[in-house]
Amino acid sequence: MKILAIDTSSHVMGTAVSSENGILAEYITNFKKNHSLRLMPAVHQMMKEVDMAPEELDAVAAAKGPGSYTGVRIGVTTAKTMAWSLGIPVYGISSLMQLAAGGTWFPGLICPFADARRGRVYTGLYRFRNGILTTERSDRVTSLDDWLEKLNETEKPVLFLSRDSKQHESAIRDTLGERAVFGGDAENRPRPSDLISLTAQMEPQPPHSLVPEYAQMAEAEKKWYAAEEGRTYE
Amino acid sequence: MTTNSTDSERLLAIETSCDETAAAVVQGGSNVLSNVVASQIDSHKRFGGVVPEIASRHHTETITMIMEEALNEAGLTFSDLDGIAVTEGPGLVGALLVGVNAAKAAAFAHGLPLLPVHHIAGHIQAARLERKWQYPALALVVSGGHTDLVLLREEGDYEVIGRTRDDAAGEAYDKVARTLGLPYPGGPHVDQLASTGRADIPLPIAWLEEGSFDFSFSGLKSAVLNTVHNAEQRGETLSTADVAASFQASVIEVLVEKTRRAAEEYEVKQVVLAGGVAANQGLRAAMEDAFKEAGPALTIPPFRYCTDNAAMIGAAAHIQWKKGITACWDLNGVPGLALY
Ligand SMILES: [Zn+2]
């Protein structure tokens, strides 16, 4: 299948394209600089090099979050508009699942995460079962301490994949000890080609229905609901 | 590809600079084949104003549906189009980004040229949907975020000769509305209430220094707030209709008078009233009155082209089209973009 993959959900920007013969090209940058400006030139250059016209595409895959709100919107908007305008389906894939896909050879649980400030993380729990990446616990934003307690109950080795590992490594080791395994530099960077691999185990969706996965309400909404219902929202 | 001549190009235009998700198909800069606007007002009402993050979320959810509706209403497909136009700025950065990236994606997918448009140029060019321009021309653009007097010596040549030094007129309307306990968005409510009141409360008008075409509304806004609070403290009941009428009269007087003076000084042939506040009945009537004598012809676009919409972006893009101005794939949303 000819699939274009797009990931702008973190400061890592990635795009990849495949044909019947597998991944043809993959382009990743790893620095903080305007995705809105750089995504389309990157896609254009890559498609030109592999000599593929947009009309040849069978589908578009996008990392739909959670992650940077603005970043996720750039990728999702680009992916759904391309797919809709070309009359092809789109795959919206969890950014955390995409990261978890980097743990292919790990036999235990895979915990991708990203720092969400104030002691919180975006995270979920995944595991490879017979080569299929399965969701063990759904994506969420949660306090890292609470989450580590939950992981502790599983009594299994856990592979942590994150660009924010260093920041939280000691807290993780304090709770999980030897059972905590940390990904290397390569595994901690989400790969757009993994979005394409993951399409094999997923159902595509109509482009209009693709929306970002923020994992939490906007601040203004939290405040509004808190005032309406007299309780706090995290 | 189509074989349209250079002046009957068909453009799909996209506008997402604030809280309206809009798409339109415009042919030759004046023939509106479709004009779809999805307003988010109901969603923002509960917050008492536009919340940028919520606006961006809505744009992302609906953008392709709105584009599809615009194409369907026009009875066209991408192969019938000659280009994609989009608001580059100014506006809310997160909101602009959705339109810009959608426009880039669609243009790239179909090998179409991408035309960047300035939002205020869009408001001004909404007038071409009504009649042909005569130059030199003068445009008064009044909206929630802008109060600008723009001189056009010729087509597509914009020179800002006056602008607000503090609040935009629309902003002042919203704040006064809140003080008077009127619901969001305040402008239309103040306008309506003003029509039932008497403008007999003395309020200041900021004429600024001699010959200046700039505006200032923060003093007026504060005076309204003080008047209302002082009355409350003295236990007096003020007629809110009279407050609205007095406030509106002050705003309109300075807007109309400065426009009239500028029209005279630059000997313009046409005056255009544009922007969301151009829907204000009081302002429309005062402008019509000021320019009813011989002199420049006054154009006020129909209401649907005054508030944010994409047909006006398609109209402004026509000038870019004629000049052959297109953007590269690195087009970005620019919140503080200067008028071009
Ligand atoms: Zn506007």
Side-chain angles (χ1 to χ4, degrees):
Chain A
M1 286 249 287
K2 290 177 173 161
I3 300 176
L4 171 70
I6 288 168
D7 170 31
T8 55
S9 59
S10 69
H11 75 251
V12 176
M13 183 185 89
T15 181
V17 65
S18 66
S19 73
E20 293 72 17
N21 305 320
I23 305 295
L24 291 180
E26 180 168 28
Y27 177 73
I28 300 173
T29 64
N30 185 21
F31 52 86
K32 243 188 180 130
K33 201 171 165 188
N34 210 315
H35 291 344
S36 166
L37 192 150
R38 298 189 301 119
L39 175 63
M40 199 44 79
V43 170
H44 172 240
Q45 180 63 22
M46 185 180 64
M47 301 272 295
K48 199 170 94 181
E49 283 190 18
V50 303
D51 212 6
M52 194 189 292
E55 306 88 76
E56 293 177 57
L57 290 170
D58 297 304
V60 181
K64 66 173 179 181
S68 145
Y69 292 173
T70 301
V72 166
R73 277 194 284 272
I74 290 165
V76 163
T77 301
T78 302
K80 78 191 278 193
T81 308
M82 268 192 80
W84 160 72
S85 78
L86 291 165
I88 56 176
V90 68
Y91 293 87
I93 300 166
S94 153
S95 307
L96 291 164
M97 189 179 204
Q98 177 194 6
L99 194 53
T104 329
W105 305 109
F106 192 73
L109 297 166
I110 304 169
C111 174
F113 73 91
D115 186 68
R117 289 193 282 263
R118 285 176 285 155
R120 292 146 72 236
V121 288
Y122 292 113
T123 192
L125 202 57
Y126 293 86
R127 186 177 187 180
F128 275 98
R129 295 178 185 265
N130 305 318
I132 304 287
L133 185 60
T134 56
T135 308
E136 302 289 305
R137 281 179 192 251
S138 60
D139 293 351
R140 68 198 63 197
V141 61
T142 173
S143 120
L144 180 62
D145 293 343
D146 293 351
W147 180 245
L148 289 174
E149 285 309 320
K150 283 210 180 79
L151 294 184
N152 206 12
E153 290 162 15
T154 66
E155 296 176 353
K156 290 193 180 71
V158 184
L159 170 64
F160 289 89
L161 297 176
S162 176
R163 286 168 315 288
D164 306 317
S165 273
K166 284 221 167 56
Q167 196 182 331
H168 298 293
E169 192 173 336
S170 63
I172 292 167
R173 286 216 189 278
D174 283 351
T175 313
L176 295 177
E178 293 292 291
R179 282 167 37 219
V181 181
F182 291 88
D185 188 47
E187 294 86 29
N188 286 335
R189 221 167 26 237
R191 279 195 305 266
S193 55
D194 282 331
L195 293 173
I196 294 176
S197 320
L198 287 168
T199 61
Q201 60 173 76
M202 294 179 65
E203 289 297 321
Q205 62 187 98
H208 290 330
S209 70
L210 177 61
V211 293
E213 184 54 72
Y214 300 104
Q216 57 183 334
M217 285 186 278
E219 285 305 317
E221 278 178 308
K222 283 185 199 170
K223 279 186 198 145
W224 187 80
Y225 280 108
E228 286 288 295
E229 299 169 13
R231 66 187 186 100
T232 56
Y233 274 81
E234 245 322 318
Chain B
M1 278 291 150
T2 47
T3 51
N4 287 327
S5 65
T6 50
D7 59 356
S8 63
E9 85 291 348
R10 287 190 283 224
L11 303 178
L12 172 64
I14 298 166
E15 150 66 37
T16 63
S17 68
C18 191
D19 63 338
E20 324 276 356
T21 316
V25 180
V26 181
Q27 182 163 23
S30 60
N31 186 11
V32 180
L33 303 181
S34 66
N35 183 36
V36 181
V37 182
S39 170
Q40 305 173 2
I41 272 190
D42 285 338
S43 178
H44 295 281
K45 229 187 232 163
R46 60 192 158 136
F47 306 114
V50 176
V51 178
E53 172 63 22
I54 309 264
S56 306
R57 289 186 177 197
H58 283 306
H59 287 314
T60 309
E61 284 160 17
T62 58
I63 185 71
T64 52
M65 282 184 275
I66 301 303
M67 289 164 77
E68 183 170 272
E69 221 177 301
L71 282 178
N72 287 348
E73 244 176 56
L76 301 178
T77 64
F78 276 96
S79 60
D80 302 314
L81 295 176
D82 297 295
I84 312 264
V86 67
T87 304
E88 181 185 7
L92 303 170
V93 65
L96 288 167
L97 287 182
V98 177
V100 166
N101 282 281
K104 290 204 285 188
F108 171 71
H110 294 276
L112 290 167
L114 181 65
L115 296 96
V117 174
H118 191 282
H119 182 78
I120 297 302
H123 274 302
I124 294 170
Q125 294 299 337
R128 46 178 331 121
L129 302 173
E130 187 73 0
R131 66 187 288 169
K132 276 206 160 63
W133 284 79
Q134 293 167 284
Y135 298 95
L138 181 70
L140 172 65
V141 187
V142 205
S143 72
H146 299 272
T147 311
D148 295 323
L149 261 177
V150 183
L151 178 68
L152 292 87
R153 294 181 204 272
E154 54 186 273
E155 185 173 77
D157 171 27
Y158 306 98
E159 185 189 337
V160 180
I161 58 168
R163 53 160 54 94
T164 180
R165 293 187 184 168
D166 37 60
D167 294 349
E171 249 174 302
Y173 265 93
D174 281 340
K175 282 174 192 163
V176 166
R178 220 170 298 164
T179 308
L180 297 180
L182 300 172
Y184 173 86
H189 290 104
V190 173
D191 185 24
Q192 203 185 7
L193 190 59
S195 68
T196 66
R198 277 178 322 189
D200 56 3
I201 300 168
L203 291 170
I205 294 181
W207 293 108
L208 305 176
E209 60 284 359
E210 175 106 26
S212 170
F213 293 120
D214 281 352
F215 302 98
S216 165
F217 295 104
S218 71
L220 171 61
K221 180 195 70 192
S222 307
V224 171
L225 266 54
N226 288 339
T227 306
V228 172
H229 291 154
N230 291 347
E232 265 170 21
Q233 271 174 356
R234 289 197 301 267
E236 295 169 12
T237 41
L238 267 182
S239 149
T240 52
D242 291 351
V243 176
S246 306
F247 163 75
Q248 171 138 316
S250 287
V251 174
I252 289 174
E253 185 175 342
V254 73
L255 288 177
V256 173
E257 182 54 24
K258 291 211 174 195
T259 306
R260 207 189 50 73
R261 283 185 205 166
E264 214 170 80
E265 183 172 327
Y266 292 98
E267 296 175 353
V268 304
K269 298 201 173 94
Q270 184 183 355
V271 173
V272 169
L273 175 61
V277 181
N280 182 293
Q281 293 302 328
L283 179 59
R284 289 176 95 103
M287 285 288 280
E288 276 159 7
D289 197 47
F291 294 100
K292 69 171 184 273
E293 308 291 317
L298 175 70
T299 306
I300 308 177
F303 177 73
R304 65 185 180 283
Y305 301 138
C306 286
T307 47
D308 286 355
N309 67 90
M312 70 184 199
I313 301 305
H318 175 65
I319 295 162
Q320 313 287 87
W321 174 264
K322 283 200 290 188
K323 289 182 183 166
I325 296 172
T326 55
C328 299
W329 299 127
D330 63 357
L331 181 70
N332 199 5
V334 184
L337 190 66
L339 183 57
Y340 63 81

Tab-separated table of all heavy atoms in Angstrom, chain B residues 119 123 143 308 312, ligand 1:
chain	number	residue	atom	x	y	z
B	119	HIS	N	-6.145	39.101	6.147
B	119	HIS	CA	-7.531	39.110	6.608
B	119	HIS	C	-8.218	40.468	6.397
B	119	HIS	O	-9.391	40.517	5.994
B	119	HIS	CB	-7.564	38.729	8.093
B	119	HIS	CG	-8.929	38.653	8.691
B	119	HIS	ND1	-9.771	37.583	8.485
B	119	HIS	CD2	-9.602	39.517	9.480
B	119	HIS	CE1	-10.911	37.801	9.136
B	119	HIS	NE2	-10.836	38.969	9.743
B	123	HIS	N	-11.537	41.737	4.304
B	123	HIS	CA	-12.677	42.570	4.719
B	123	HIS	C	-12.903	43.706	3.721
B	123	HIS	O	-14.036	44.014	3.358
B	123	HIS	CB	-12.434	43.155	6.115
B	123	HIS	CG	-12.855	42.245	7.233
B	123	HIS	ND1	-14.148	41.777	7.344
B	123	HIS	CD2	-12.173	41.725	8.290
B	123	HIS	CE1	-14.229	41.005	8.421
B	123	HIS	NE2	-13.049	40.951	9.001
B	143	SER	N	-13.873	46.126	13.294
B	143	SER	CA	-14.237	44.773	13.729
B	143	SER	C	-13.822	44.586	15.173
B	143	SER	O	-13.342	45.518	15.816
B	143	SER	CB	-13.538	43.742	12.847
B	143	SER	OG	-12.157	43.720	13.152
B	308	ASP	N	-16.801	37.750	9.579
B	308	ASP	CA	-15.772	36.897	8.987
B	308	ASP	C	-16.382	35.821	8.097
B	308	ASP	O	-17.309	35.123	8.494
B	308	ASP	CB	-14.926	36.250	10.098
B	308	ASP	CG	-13.982	37.255	10.735
B	308	ASP	OD1	-13.925	38.409	10.241
B	308	ASP	OD2	-13.308	36.891	11.709
B	312	MET	N	-14.954	36.749	1.114
B	312	MET	CA	-14.127	37.966	1.063
B	312	MET	C	-12.659	37.609	0.839
B	312	MET	O	-11.919	38.366	0.209
B	312	MET	CB	-14.295	38.788	2.352
B	312	MET	CG	-13.687	38.148	3.593
B	312	MET	SD	-14.034	39.131	5.089
B	312	MET	CE	-12.759	38.507	6.206
C	1	ZN	ZN	-12.414	39.864	10.674
